Amino acid sequence: MLNFFPMLYKDELLFSGIARYKQMCGMISNQALSRDLFGYCMTYSSALFGYHLNAFVSNLPPSCQLTVDELIWNHTMFPFFTAFLSPSKTSEVYKLIAEKGKTFVENVVGISSGSVKTGSYLKYCPVCFSEDMKTIGESYWRRIHQIPGALYCIKHEVVLKTSNVLSVDSRFRYICADREVCSGEMEEDLYSTEIKKQNLQYIRNAQNLMKIRERKEREFIISFYLDQLREKGLASKNGTIYMRKLQDAFLDFYSTDYLELMQSTIEREKMSNWLRLFVRYRGKNRSPVRHLLFLQFLDLDVSDLYLCQEVIGKRTKRKSKKQPISLILLEQKRKQWLEIIGKHPHATRSELKKIGKGLYTWLYTHDKEWHDRVTPKKVSVSARQRMINWQEKDEQWLQLAQEAVQQLLRQEGKPIRITPSSIRRQLGAKGSFLNKKLVKTNAFLKEITEDIESFRIRKIKWAIKELMNKNKKITPYKVQLYAGFGGKSTLRPLIEKILREDGHIDEGEKFCLHFLFM
């Protein structure tokens, strides 16, 4: 049994409390610390969750009032990562932390397999650190700073710094938030005002989320979202989501740079992008980061979801019994439709539908056989293609594509990767732009497509130039943030290499110069 254990501060991670205990005792051996805390030697530690808490609490001195429940809910990331899990799955995670089974918590809550990852290292606020050292003589790791996607300290609104302390460690090292790993020197804020505003709201929502203990089934949550989309005109009365409209509204609300920082980039043309899958009933659990992004987009507080007791969701269509149609009414409708066809002899079915509006639908519903017999048939795709002069069209699109590339390369702001999709968006062209019969255009698109490595180099070069123009101090970390790579450390060596190369024109620049002056 432990002789003492330090009092945990508000919002302090249990990992942080154990690290302070280790420092107070002057312990060096991790094995000895593990046996002291749990009664046996552990081989794994998680700064975000913790394990074997039943054993840990049983080893605390009798005077200590800490309970397993208080530790899990107030001193681990359990409330955040289980907030959108079902009650049964939440209970499973709770037991894993309290007892430690054969499965890791990270696997159950979707951190390991999901596309939204947690940071590899613990984060901290330099102002919080300085204040702690002045007022209490020590600092500690706060939960709110470890929330995935949190860029700022909610209290001081300054950029969070990343330490070199691992959030998950197979060697169960417990390291304090002291002067060896933290400092009061602030990072320069390179994010835009809009990104800061949206991220602070995101953190506030996450903070409120961690206070909620109620859990909802996944089907309930999706139905809740569907009801909200219906109210905003982004879904039909029956619950069919207007996906293109939703996607456009979502991308108007959040910038591409911000979504990249939140590991939630959306590719418009990709049928399996996360937003399309997010609002479906089926599928695996969604990341809490994306739930919070979606709630913020809907202009809802997290409490709105958990206070809601009834949802409608998707409605199933009921077949109504057809009432007898008056012959006089039927003849009137037929006459009106024949007049429309007569006035527009070359119109397609789609064009006639727009002209006739509700009349087309009425006849299709109540007099389909007659409607199909008198209405002009659809022109087949092959027939339409035979009417198109593809050679002439190819020359036109080729010239437009070349101009679009130069526009993309010359435009101000963060570089856009040159791909067939970005060129098509620049032109505002439809899907026919990528038709295989546009031989020269397709050959040009294949040649011009920028590989991801060249694009990253071009973004890095742009970020360096921008920072130089603004007389900012240039460091690999600042270049990384300004280029929009977020905290991805994998690109740091590439940035450092480019910074070392004095006057070298890289592949990204060669690409840009070649097509600007071709």
PDB file of all heavy atoms in Angstrom, residues 83-113:
ATOM      1  N   ALA A  83     -17.873   9.439 -25.769  1.00  0.00           N
ATOM      2  CA  ALA A  83     -19.071  10.294 -25.785  1.00  0.00           C
ATOM      3  C   ALA A  83     -20.101   9.871 -26.825  1.00  0.00           C
ATOM      4  O   ALA A  83     -21.307  10.008 -26.613  1.00  0.00           O
ATOM      5  CB  ALA A  83     -18.667  11.755 -26.016  1.00  0.00           C
ATOM      6  N   PHE A  84     -19.660   9.339 -27.959  1.00  0.00           N
ATOM      7  CA  PHE A  84     -20.589   8.973 -29.030  1.00  0.00           C
ATOM      8  C   PHE A  84     -20.659   7.459 -29.224  1.00  0.00           C
ATOM      9  O   PHE A  84     -21.147   6.990 -30.249  1.00  0.00           O
ATOM     10  CB  PHE A  84     -20.173   9.675 -30.326  1.00  0.00           C
ATOM     11  CG  PHE A  84     -20.201  11.174 -30.217  1.00  0.00           C
ATOM     12  CD1 PHE A  84     -19.042  11.878 -29.946  1.00  0.00           C
ATOM     13  CD2 PHE A  84     -21.388  11.877 -30.342  1.00  0.00           C
ATOM     14  CE1 PHE A  84     -19.056  13.267 -29.826  1.00  0.00           C
ATOM     15  CE2 PHE A  84     -21.421  13.254 -30.222  1.00  0.00           C
ATOM     16  CZ  PHE A  84     -20.247  13.956 -29.961  1.00  0.00           C
ATOM     17  N   LEU A  85     -20.162   6.719 -28.242  1.00  0.00           N
ATOM     18  CA  LEU A  85     -20.311   5.262 -28.270  1.00  0.00           C
ATOM     19  C   LEU A  85     -21.614   4.864 -27.588  1.00  0.00           C
ATOM     20  O   LEU A  85     -22.191   5.635 -26.822  1.00  0.00           O
ATOM     21  CB  LEU A  85     -19.137   4.591 -27.548  1.00  0.00           C
ATOM     22  CG  LEU A  85     -17.739   4.796 -28.134  1.00  0.00           C
ATOM     23  CD1 LEU A  85     -16.712   4.013 -27.318  1.00  0.00           C
ATOM     24  CD2 LEU A  85     -17.676   4.372 -29.595  1.00  0.00           C
ATOM     25  N   SER A  86     -22.069   3.668 -27.842  1.00  0.00           N
ATOM     26  CA  SER A  86     -23.294   3.165 -27.222  1.00  0.00           C
ATOM     27  C   SER A  86     -23.057   2.929 -25.733  1.00  0.00           C
ATOM     28  O   SER A  86     -21.903   2.794 -25.293  1.00  0.00           O
ATOM     29  CB  SER A  86     -23.720   1.863 -27.885  1.00  0.00           C
ATOM     30  OG  SER A  86     -22.754   0.852 -27.624  1.00  0.00           O
ATOM     31  N   PRO A  87     -24.121   2.860 -24.927  1.00  0.00           N
ATOM     32  CA  PRO A  87     -23.945   2.579 -23.486  1.00  0.00           C
ATOM     33  C   PRO A  87     -23.184   1.288 -23.222  1.00  0.00           C
ATOM     34  O   PRO A  87     -22.345   1.228 -22.326  1.00  0.00           O
ATOM     35  CB  PRO A  87     -25.388   2.490 -22.976  1.00  0.00           C
ATOM     36  CG  PRO A  87     -26.176   3.349 -23.926  1.00  0.00           C
ATOM     37  CD  PRO A  87     -25.523   3.155 -25.261  1.00  0.00           C
ATOM     38  N   SER A  88     -23.461   0.247 -24.013  1.00  0.00           N
ATOM     39  CA  SER A  88     -22.781  -1.041 -23.784  1.00  0.00           C
ATOM     40  C   SER A  88     -21.297  -0.959 -24.120  1.00  0.00           C
ATOM     41  O   SER A  88     -20.448  -1.506 -23.398  1.00  0.00           O
ATOM     42  CB  SER A  88     -23.441  -2.134 -24.630  1.00  0.00           C
ATOM     43  OG  SER A  88     -23.368  -1.814 -26.011  1.00  0.00           O
ATOM     44  N   LYS A  89     -20.962  -0.265 -25.211  1.00  0.00           N
ATOM     45  CA  LYS A  89     -19.559  -0.124 -25.600  1.00  0.00           C
ATOM     46  C   LYS A  89     -18.812   0.756 -24.593  1.00  0.00           C
ATOM     47  O   LYS A  89     -17.643   0.501 -24.274  1.00  0.00           O
ATOM     48  CB  LYS A  89     -19.461   0.482 -26.999  1.00  0.00           C
ATOM     49  CG  LYS A  89     -18.047   0.514 -27.575  1.00  0.00           C
ATOM     50  CD  LYS A  89     -17.476  -0.860 -27.811  1.00  0.00           C
ATOM     51  CE  LYS A  89     -18.128  -1.542 -28.997  1.00  0.00           C
ATOM     52  NZ  LYS A  89     -17.483  -2.827 -29.337  1.00  0.00           N
ATOM     53  N   THR A  90     -19.492   1.775 -24.067  1.00  0.00           N
ATOM     54  CA  THR A  90     -18.897   2.643 -23.049  1.00  0.00           C
ATOM     55  C   THR A  90     -18.570   1.841 -21.793  1.00  0.00           C
ATOM     56  O   THR A  90     -17.500   2.007 -21.190  1.00  0.00           O
ATOM     57  CB  THR A  90     -19.850   3.806 -22.703  1.00  0.00           C
ATOM     58  OG1 THR A  90     -20.117   4.569 -23.882  1.00  0.00           O
ATOM     59  CG2 THR A  90     -19.246   4.717 -21.650  1.00  0.00           C
ATOM     60  N   SER A  91     -19.482   0.958 -21.396  1.00  0.00           N
ATOM     61  CA  SER A  91     -19.241   0.103 -20.226  1.00  0.00           C
ATOM     62  C   SER A  91     -18.051  -0.816 -20.452  1.00  0.00           C
ATOM     63  O   SER A  91     -17.254  -1.069 -19.530  1.00  0.00           O
ATOM     64  CB  SER A  91     -20.483  -0.741 -19.924  1.00  0.00           C
ATOM     65  OG  SER A  91     -21.567   0.082 -19.576  1.00  0.00           O
ATOM     66  N   GLU A  92     -17.917  -1.296 -21.677  1.00  0.00           N
ATOM     67  CA  GLU A  92     -16.788  -2.175 -22.016  1.00  0.00           C
ATOM     68  C   GLU A  92     -15.466  -1.433 -21.859  1.00  0.00           C
ATOM     69  O   GLU A  92     -14.505  -1.975 -21.295  1.00  0.00           O
ATOM     70  CB  GLU A  92     -16.939  -2.672 -23.457  1.00  0.00           C
ATOM     71  CG  GLU A  92     -15.816  -3.595 -23.911  1.00  0.00           C
ATOM     72  CD  GLU A  92     -15.947  -3.975 -25.382  1.00  0.00           C
ATOM     73  OE1 GLU A  92     -17.039  -3.797 -25.954  1.00  0.00           O
ATOM     74  OE2 GLU A  92     -14.932  -4.431 -25.954  1.00  0.00           O
ATOM     75  N   VAL A  93     -15.417  -0.188 -22.328  1.00  0.00           N
ATOM     76  CA  VAL A  93     -14.196   0.616 -22.206  1.00  0.00           C
ATOM     77  C   VAL A  93     -13.902   0.912 -20.735  1.00  0.00           C
ATOM     78  O   VAL A  93     -12.748   0.861 -20.299  1.00  0.00           O
ATOM     79  CB  VAL A  93     -14.330   1.936 -23.006  1.00  0.00           C
ATOM     80  CG1 VAL A  93     -13.100   2.826 -22.814  1.00  0.00           C
ATOM     81  CG2 VAL A  93     -14.531   1.646 -24.490  1.00  0.00           C
ATOM     82  N   TYR A  94     -14.951   1.221 -19.986  1.00  0.00           N
ATOM     83  CA  TYR A  94     -14.804   1.510 -18.550  1.00  0.00           C
ATOM     84  C   TYR A  94     -14.143   0.325 -17.839  1.00  0.00           C
ATOM     85  O   TYR A  94     -13.209   0.499 -17.033  1.00  0.00           O
ATOM     86  CB  TYR A  94     -16.185   1.790 -17.962  1.00  0.00           C
ATOM     87  CG  TYR A  94     -16.196   2.280 -16.536  1.00  0.00           C
ATOM     88  CD1 TYR A  94     -16.340   3.634 -16.248  1.00  0.00           C
ATOM     89  CD2 TYR A  94     -16.085   1.389 -15.469  1.00  0.00           C
ATOM     90  CE1 TYR A  94     -16.364   4.090 -14.932  1.00  0.00           C
ATOM     91  CE2 TYR A  94     -16.101   1.824 -14.156  1.00  0.00           C
ATOM     92  CZ  TYR A  94     -16.252   3.187 -13.895  1.00  0.00           C
ATOM     93  OH  TYR A  94     -16.267   3.629 -12.593  1.00  0.00           O
ATOM     94  N   LYS A  95     -14.606  -0.884 -18.135  1.00  0.00           N
ATOM     95  CA  LYS A  95     -14.056  -2.087 -17.499  1.00  0.00           C
ATOM     96  C   LYS A  95     -12.608  -2.325 -17.910  1.00  0.00           C
ATOM     97  O   LYS A  95     -11.786  -2.778 -17.108  1.00  0.00           O
ATOM     98  CB  LYS A  95     -14.911  -3.307 -17.859  1.00  0.00           C
ATOM     99  CG  LYS A  95     -16.276  -3.322 -17.192  1.00  0.00           C
ATOM    100  CD  LYS A  95     -17.083  -4.544 -17.607  1.00  0.00           C
ATOM    101  CE  LYS A  95     -18.457  -4.537 -16.943  1.00  0.00           C
ATOM    102  NZ  LYS A  95     -19.282  -5.694 -17.383  1.00  0.00           N
ATOM    103  N   LEU A  96     -12.293  -2.014 -19.170  1.00  0.00           N
ATOM    104  CA  LEU A  96     -10.917  -2.192 -19.635  1.00  0.00           C
ATOM    105  C   LEU A  96      -9.949  -1.308 -18.864  1.00  0.00           C
ATOM    106  O   LEU A  96      -8.844  -1.730 -18.516  1.00  0.00           O
ATOM    107  CB  LEU A  96     -10.809  -1.866 -21.131  1.00  0.00           C
ATOM    108  CG  LEU A  96     -11.216  -2.956 -22.118  1.00  0.00           C
ATOM    109  CD1 LEU A  96     -11.185  -2.417 -23.536  1.00  0.00           C
ATOM    110  CD2 LEU A  96     -10.291  -4.151 -21.996  1.00  0.00           C
ATOM    111  N   ILE A  97     -10.385  -0.064 -18.591  1.00  0.00           N
ATOM    112  CA  ILE A  97      -9.526   0.853 -17.842  1.00  0.00           C
ATOM    113  C   ILE A  97      -9.430   0.415 -16.381  1.00  0.00           C
ATOM    114  O   ILE A  97      -8.361   0.478 -15.777  1.00  0.00           O
ATOM    115  CB  ILE A  97     -10.068   2.302 -17.938  1.00  0.00           C
ATOM    116  CG1 ILE A  97     -10.038   2.774 -19.397  1.00  0.00           C
ATOM    117  CG2 ILE A  97      -9.255   3.248 -17.074  1.00  0.00           C
ATOM    118  CD1 ILE A  97     -10.676   4.133 -19.615  1.00  0.00           C
ATOM    119  N   ALA A  98     -10.545  -0.025 -15.836  1.00  0.00           N
ATOM    120  CA  ALA A  98     -10.560  -0.411 -14.421  1.00  0.00           C
ATOM    121  C   ALA A  98      -9.829  -1.726 -14.168  1.00  0.00           C
ATOM    122  O   ALA A  98      -9.097  -1.868 -13.181  1.00  0.00           O
ATOM    123  CB  ALA A  98     -11.999  -0.517 -13.929  1.00  0.00           C
ATOM    124  N   GLU A  99      -9.986  -2.690 -15.093  1.00  0.00           N
ATOM    125  CA  GLU A  99      -9.456  -4.035 -14.836  1.00  0.00           C
ATOM    126  C   GLU A  99      -8.344  -4.450 -15.792  1.00  0.00           C
ATOM    127  O   GLU A  99      -7.521  -5.278 -15.470  1.00  0.00           O
ATOM    128  CB  GLU A  99     -10.594  -5.050 -14.923  1.00  0.00           C
ATOM    129  CG  GLU A  99     -11.721  -4.762 -13.934  1.00  0.00           C
ATOM    130  CD  GLU A  99     -12.948  -5.625 -14.182  1.00  0.00           C
ATOM    131  OE1 GLU A  99     -12.889  -6.496 -15.071  1.00  0.00           O
ATOM    132  OE2 GLU A  99     -13.958  -5.425 -13.490  1.00  0.00           O
ATOM    133  N   LYS A 100      -8.349  -3.932 -16.990  1.00  0.00           N
ATOM    134  CA  LYS A 100      -7.411  -4.269 -18.074  1.00  0.00           C
ATOM    135  C   LYS A 100      -7.562  -5.698 -18.565  1.00  0.00           C
ATOM    136  O   LYS A 100      -7.084  -6.654 -17.970  1.00  0.00           O
ATOM    137  CB  LYS A 100      -5.949  -4.036 -17.662  1.00  0.00           C
ATOM    138  CG  LYS A 100      -4.953  -4.288 -18.810  1.00  0.00           C
ATOM    139  CD  LYS A 100      -5.193  -3.299 -19.949  1.00  0.00           C
ATOM    140  CE  LYS A 100      -4.282  -3.593 -21.127  1.00  0.00           C
ATOM    141  NZ  LYS A 100      -4.791  -4.637 -21.989  1.00  0.00           N
ATOM    142  N   GLY A 101      -8.284  -5.812 -19.674  1.00  0.00           N
ATOM    143  CA  GLY A 101      -8.452  -7.119 -20.293  1.00  0.00           C
ATOM    144  C   GLY A 101      -7.358  -7.369 -21.315  1.00  0.00           C
ATOM    145  O   GLY A 101      -6.274  -6.792 -21.245  1.00  0.00           O
ATOM    146  N   LYS A 102      -7.671  -8.180 -22.303  1.00  0.00           N
ATOM    147  CA  LYS A 102      -6.685  -8.523 -23.319  1.00  0.00           C
ATOM    148  C   LYS A 102      -6.647  -7.500 -24.459  1.00  0.00           C
ATOM    149  O   LYS A 102      -5.746  -7.531 -25.293  1.00  0.00           O
ATOM    150  CB  LYS A 102      -6.998  -9.914 -23.896  1.00  0.00           C
ATOM    151  CG  LYS A 102      -6.857 -11.037 -22.872  1.00  0.00           C
ATOM    152  CD  LYS A 102      -7.162 -12.372 -23.508  1.00  0.00           C
ATOM    153  CE  LYS A 102      -7.015 -13.501 -22.483  1.00  0.00           C
ATOM    154  NZ  LYS A 102      -7.316 -14.819 -23.095  1.00  0.00           N
ATOM    155  N   THR A 103      -7.634  -6.606 -24.504  1.00  0.00           N
ATOM    156  CA  THR A 103      -7.720  -5.622 -25.580  1.00  0.00           C
ATOM    157  C   THR A 103      -7.324  -4.242 -25.063  1.00  0.00           C
ATOM    158  O   THR A 103      -7.647  -3.878 -23.935  1.00  0.00           O
ATOM    159  CB  THR A 103      -9.155  -5.555 -26.136  1.00  0.00           C
ATOM    160  OG1 THR A 103      -9.567  -6.875 -26.496  1.00  0.00           O
ATOM    161  CG2 THR A 103      -9.227  -4.656 -27.363  1.00  0.00           C
ATOM    162  N   PHE A 104      -6.646  -3.457 -25.893  1.00  0.00           N
ATOM    163  CA  PHE A 104      -6.287  -2.102 -25.527  1.00  0.00           C
ATOM    164  C   PHE A 104      -7.466  -1.166 -25.771  1.00  0.00           C
ATOM    165  O   PHE A 104      -8.215  -1.324 -26.746  1.00  0.00           O
ATOM    166  CB  PHE A 104      -5.083  -1.619 -26.339  1.00  0.00           C
ATOM    167  CG  PHE A 104      -3.799  -2.313 -25.977  1.00  0.00           C
ATOM    168  CD1 PHE A 104      -3.097  -3.039 -26.928  1.00  0.00           C
ATOM    169  CD2 PHE A 104      -3.296  -2.243 -24.692  1.00  0.00           C
ATOM    170  CE1 PHE A 104      -1.921  -3.682 -26.599  1.00  0.00           C
ATOM    171  CE2 PHE A 104      -2.121  -2.885 -24.345  1.00  0.00           C
ATOM    172  CZ  PHE A 104      -1.429  -3.611 -25.311  1.00  0.00           C
ATOM    173  N   VAL A 105      -7.614  -0.179 -24.905  1.00  0.00           N
ATOM    174  CA  VAL A 105      -8.698   0.803 -25.039  1.00  0.00           C
ATOM    175  C   VAL A 105      -8.634   1.492 -26.390  1.00  0.00           C
ATOM    176  O   VAL A 105      -9.657   1.737 -27.041  1.00  0.00           O
ATOM    177  CB  VAL A 105      -8.622   1.848 -23.903  1.00  0.00           C
ATOM    178  CG1 VAL A 105      -9.603   2.985 -24.149  1.00  0.00           C
ATOM    179  CG2 VAL A 105      -8.912   1.196 -22.564  1.00  0.00           C
ATOM    180  N   GLU A 106      -7.421   1.817 -26.845  1.00  0.00           N
ATOM    181  CA  GLU A 106      -7.248   2.525 -28.115  1.00  0.00           C
ATOM    182  C   GLU A 106      -7.891   1.767 -29.278  1.00  0.00           C
ATOM    183  O   GLU A 106      -8.395   2.379 -30.228  1.00  0.00           O
ATOM    184  CB  GLU A 106      -5.755   2.748 -28.407  1.00  0.00           C
ATOM    185  CG  GLU A 106      -5.082   3.764 -27.524  1.00  0.00           C
ATOM    186  CD  GLU A 106      -4.621   3.222 -26.185  1.00  0.00           C
ATOM    187  OE1 GLU A 106      -4.936   2.043 -25.852  1.00  0.00           O
ATOM    188  OE2 GLU A 106      -3.942   3.960 -25.454  1.00  0.00           O
ATOM    189  N   ASN A 107      -7.890   0.446 -29.199  1.00  0.00           N
ATOM    190  CA  ASN A 107      -8.502  -0.376 -30.257  1.00  0.00           C
ATOM    191  C   ASN A 107     -10.020  -0.307 -30.205  1.00  0.00           C
ATOM    192  O   ASN A 107     -10.691  -0.249 -31.241  1.00  0.00           O
ATOM    193  CB  ASN A 107      -8.055  -1.828 -30.133  1.00  0.00           C
ATOM    194  CG  ASN A 107      -6.566  -1.996 -30.360  1.00  0.00           C
ATOM    195  OD1 ASN A 107      -5.932  -1.148 -30.973  1.00  0.00           O
ATOM    196  ND2 ASN A 107      -5.996  -3.082 -29.868  1.00  0.00           N
ATOM    197  N   VAL A 108     -10.565  -0.312 -29.003  1.00  0.00           N
ATOM    198  CA  VAL A 108     -12.020  -0.340 -28.839  1.00  0.00           C
ATOM    199  C   VAL A 108     -12.657   0.998 -29.228  1.00  0.00           C
ATOM    200  O   VAL A 108     -13.714   1.029 -29.863  1.00  0.00           O
ATOM    201  CB  VAL A 108     -12.396  -0.697 -27.381  1.00  0.00           C
ATOM    202  CG1 VAL A 108     -13.913  -0.716 -27.205  1.00  0.00           C
ATOM    203  CG2 VAL A 108     -11.811  -2.050 -26.996  1.00  0.00           C
ATOM    204  N   VAL A 109     -12.036   2.108 -28.863  1.00  0.00           N
ATOM    205  CA  VAL A 109     -12.632   3.416 -29.149  1.00  0.00           C
ATOM    206  C   VAL A 109     -12.315   3.897 -30.564  1.00  0.00           C
ATOM    207  O   VAL A 109     -12.790   4.956 -30.991  1.00  0.00           O
ATOM    208  CB  VAL A 109     -12.181   4.482 -28.128  1.00  0.00           C
ATOM    209  CG1 VAL A 109     -12.597   4.101 -26.731  1.00  0.00           C
ATOM    210  CG2 VAL A 109     -10.664   4.728 -28.190  1.00  0.00           C
ATOM    211  N   GLY A 110     -11.520   3.144 -31.311  1.00  0.00           N
ATOM    212  CA  GLY A 110     -11.292   3.462 -32.723  1.00  0.00           C
ATOM    213  C   GLY A 110     -10.092   4.336 -33.010  1.00  0.00           C
ATOM    214  O   GLY A 110      -9.918   4.789 -34.141  1.00  0.00           O
ATOM    215  N   ILE A 111      -9.243   4.577 -32.019  1.00  0.00           N
ATOM    216  CA  ILE A 111      -8.064   5.417 -32.252  1.00  0.00           C
ATOM    217  C   ILE A 111      -7.075   4.705 -33.166  1.00  0.00           C
ATOM    218  O   ILE A 111      -6.513   5.307 -34.090  1.00  0.00           O
ATOM    219  CB  ILE A 111      -7.375   5.782 -30.920  1.00  0.00           C
ATOM    220  CG1 ILE A 111      -8.291   6.667 -30.079  1.00  0.00           C
ATOM    221  CG2 ILE A 111      -6.047   6.482 -31.169  1.00  0.00           C
ATOM    222  CD1 ILE A 111      -7.741   6.995 -28.706  1.00  0.00           C
ATOM    223  N   SER A 112      -6.860   3.430 -32.925  1.00  0.00           N
ATOM    224  CA  SER A 112      -5.845   2.680 -33.676  1.00  0.00           C
ATOM    225  C   SER A 112      -6.219   2.496 -35.140  1.00  0.00           C
ATOM    226  O   SER A 112      -5.377   2.633 -36.028  1.00  0.00           O
ATOM    227  CB  SER A 112      -5.629   1.312 -33.027  1.00  0.00           C
ATOM    228  OG  SER A 112      -5.249   1.459 -31.673  1.00  0.00           O
ATOM    229  N   SER A 113      -7.498   2.202 -35.407  1.00  0.00           N
ATOM    230  CA  SER A 113      -7.914   1.885 -36.774  1.00  0.00           C
ATOM    231  C   SER A 113      -8.546   3.065 -37.497  1.00  0.00           C
ATOM    232  O   SER A 113      -8.708   3.034 -38.716  1.00  0.00           O
ATOM    233  CB  SER A 113      -8.918   0.729 -36.753  1.00  0.00           C
ATOM    234  OG  SER A 113     -10.054   1.066 -35.971  1.00  0.00           O
TER     235      SER A 113
END
